[in-house]
Amino acid sequence: MSWFYLILAGLFEMLGVVLINTFNQQKNAKNLILMFAGFGFSFLFLTLAMNELPMGTAYAVWTGIGAAGGTILSMIFYREAKDWKRLVCIGLIISATIGLKLIGE
């Protein structure tokens, strides 16, 4: 269950990052509340995951999901560059994240 919580934490982290951009484009209370909710749920699920997972592993996987996911979402929705160097780096982040899962808790 802790890995499920960790994945949820990473997905809410991605949502929070996208909502930062949304808030920067349209500064209103709704976007601010949504942004804080995204990050709030991210921290909540990270905390639940860390009840069973080591802090170093949990934090690395959480930031990996957030960084890779945020970059991929920005490429899709905000038309950021999709050059091969960025894609290789995202692949490295994803590979390292999977590696941390495979070598154990």
Side-chain angles (χ1 to χ4, degrees):
M1 194 68 176
S2 57
W3 283 101
F4 176 71
Y5 289 145
L6 188 56
I7 290 169
L8 278 177
L11 293 174
F12 276 108
E13 183 73 7
M14 289 169 47
L15 178 64
V17 169
V18 169
L19 289 168
I20 288 174
N21 194 41
T22 302
F23 179 71
N24 280 331
Q25 292 174 352
Q26 299 175 0
K27 290 183 169 66
N28 58 45
K30 174 188 154 203
N31 289 336
L32 183 64
I33 291 168
L34 288 173
M35 181 182 68
F36 278 118
F39 285 122
F41 281 115
S42 178
F43 284 118
L44 170 69
F45 286 116
L46 177 62
T47 301
L48 293 173
M50 287 175 59
N51 286 330
E52 293 181 22
L53 296 174
M55 179 197 67
T57 301
Y59 182 73
V61 171
W62 176 67
T63 56
I65 293 170
T71 304
I72 290 168
L73 289 176
S74 68
M75 288 176 178
I76 294 169
F77 294 111
Y78 302 110
R79 296 186 176 98
E80 288 189 8
K82 298 176 182 107
D83 64 66
W84 69 271
K85 294 175 199 168
R86 290 186 81 184
L87 296 173
V88 167
C89 291
I90 291 170
L92 290 170
I93 292 169
I94 293 170
S95 297
T97 302
I98 292 169
L100 285 170
K101 164 66 171 116
L102 294 176
I103 62 173
E105 301 176 6

